Amino acid sequence: MENVTTVNEFLLLELTSTQELQPVLFVTLLIIYMIDLFGNGSILVVVILEPRLYSPMYFFLGNLSCLDICYSSVTLPILMANLLSAHKAVSFLGCITQLHFFHFLGCTESILLAIMGFDRFVAICYPLRYTLIMNLKACILLATVAWITSFFYALMHSVMTARLNFCHSLKLNYFFCDVKPLLELACGDIRLNQWLIFIVTGSLSMAACFLTFLSYLYIIGFLLFKNRTCCGLHKALSTCASHFMVVSLFYGTVGLTYIPPASVTSVSQGRYVAVIHTTVTSLLNPLIYTLRNKEVKLALKRQLRLQL
């Protein structure tokens, strides 16, 4: 029988053991975080203040911007603080809380991306019925379902992880608190936790990913068959290519991190994948989905003129 350790805190892994690189990494993460806050914050403010952007598409974009601000705030401040701290520790409650919000916001984003894909599908393929299908009540209902479903999904992981006993070293082989590195420190039977990651997380991710790509594939097919010209092909690709890039990056990193069982993909191999997942996707979303949009750029300019 292994001795069970009373857990008060976990020690987090350093991003790098090279002391000279730590200030460089801190500045890099700080710049990424500030750009993320400014970009997504600007979009959120404009969507709220600009009456011309009161439409289903911008309602979901506002949700996405709010989500990305929270998502990056779950991990980046702790990563930056640990770069400057000699004692890279997080309390047990703080660790479980971070785990909960990381999965809560990540799951919400995956569902929200699927909803946004469906919104674009209806707008392009059924423009005359768009306002009828994507009315305000339907938009609020879809967003509410995304947030509530994700909350209980994350609650499942946080509760099942918190109930574990820990009998190994309390030094996490990761940069922040997540399910798989915590399972490495647990003693006893963790098969249920592993199956929850493999089945529940994998199923949710693949279902949301499939629905997202299906919507954009229908859009491309619709544009190509309706406009059988090079112009139609260009329009289809320009409509969906950048969205494909963000969605592929998001689900690619999720798949590399969570879908394979722990015995197949070691946690150490997913460290840098996790850093990309928590930083780059939140940074790209405002650039891809909104700042390239003419209506958003005009709204930003109007709001700036009003403030000046």
Side-chain angles (χ1 to χ4, degrees):
M1 178 69 69
E2 296 178 284
N3 293 327
V4 177
T5 304
T6 300
V7 178
N8 294 317
E9 65 178 19
F10 292 101
L11 299 177
L12 298 175
L13 184 73
E14 294 181 330
L15 278 173
T16 177
S17 58
T18 307
Q19 296 296 322
E20 293 78 9
L21 286 178
Q22 291 186 0
V24 177
L25 287 172
F26 175 83
V27 173
T28 302
L29 291 175
L30 180 61
I31 292 173
I32 291 174
Y33 187 50
M34 296 306 295
I35 294 174
D36 183 10
L37 293 181
F38 177 77
N40 286 295
S42 299
I43 298 306
L44 184 59
V45 169
V46 168
V47 168
I48 293 173
L49 296 180
E50 182 58 52
R52 298 184 184 184
L53 300 183
Y54 289 175
S55 68
M57 181 179 76
Y58 296 109
F59 170 78
F60 293 124
L61 288 175
N63 272 266
L64 183 65
S65 294
C66 178
L67 183 66
D68 283 332
I69 291 173
C70 299
Y71 196 40
S72 58
S73 298
V74 169
T75 54
L76 285 183
I78 293 178
L79 287 176
M80 290 186 290
N82 286 339
L83 286 170
L84 303 178
S85 175
H87 186 59
K88 305 177 188 341
V90 59
S91 67
F92 178 81
L93 180 60
C95 189
I96 297 299
T97 302
Q98 185 184 41
L99 181 155
H100 174 80
F101 280 97
F102 180 74
H103 282 269
F104 168 39
L105 297 169
C107 183
T108 306
E109 179 157 354
S110 67
I111 298 175
L112 192 61
L113 288 173
I115 294 172
M116 291 170 65
F118 176 74
D119 172 73
R120 291 298 82 208
F121 162 71
V122 177
I124 294 173
C125 300
Y126 301 97
L128 298 180
R129 301 174 58 188
Y130 178 63
T131 55
L132 179 63
I133 298 174
M134 301 302 294
N135 56 72
L136 179 60
K137 184 178 180 180
C139 292
I140 294 175
L141 178 62
L142 288 171
T144 302
V145 168
W147 287 91
I148 292 178
T149 301
S150 301
F151 178 83
F152 285 104
Y153 157 77
L155 187 65
M156 172 197 71
H157 276 309
S158 57
V159 169
M160 293 301 295
T161 305
R163 62 184 285 275
L164 294 173
N165 295 317
F166 297 92
C167 52
H168 305 296
S169 168
L170 299 184
K171 185 173 182 179
L172 280 177
N173 192 26
Y174 223 52
F175 307 126
F176 56 90
C177 292
D178 201 0
V179 176
K180 291 180 76 172
L182 283 170
L183 292 183
E184 288 191 339
L185 306 182
C187 56
D189 191 354
I190 60 171
R191 286 177 296 178
L192 177 58
N193 300 74
Q194 291 174 328
W195 276 109
L196 288 176
I197 294 174
F198 183 68
I199 296 177
V200 180
T201 302
S203 298
L204 279 173
S205 300
M206 287 189 291
C209 179
F210 173 76
L211 292 175
T212 304
F213 279 105
L214 185 64
S215 295
Y216 288 121
L217 288 174
Y218 266 109
I219 291 171
I220 292 175
F222 176 82
L223 292 173
L224 287 176
F225 285 109
K226 185 177 180 180
N227 303 294
R228 299 181 183 181
T229 62
C230 292
C231 180
L233 177 61
H234 175 74
K235 183 178 179 181
L237 293 178
S238 63
T239 301
C240 302
S242 58
H243 293 201
F244 271 135
M245 182 177 68
V246 174
V247 173
S248 298
L249 179 63
F250 179 82
Y251 284 111
T253 52
V254 168
L256 290 173
T257 305
Y258 297 108
I259 292 179
S263 59
V264 176
T265 301
S266 66
V267 174
S268 60
Q269 292 176 339
R271 293 173 187 169
Y272 297 105
V273 174
V275 173
I276 294 173
H277 177 71
T278 56
T279 57
V280 178
T281 52
S282 296
L283 188 67
L284 285 179
N285 282 340
L287 298 174
I288 297 299
Y289 283 102
T290 51
L291 295 181
R292 296 173 71 251
N293 186 293
K294 293 181 180 179
E295 292 183 357
V296 173
K297 287 191 287 188
L298 290 174
L300 281 170
K301 292 178 181 178
R302 280 195 293 269
Q303 292 299 322
L304 287 174
R305 284 198 296 267
L306 289 175
Q307 295 300 322
L308 296 175

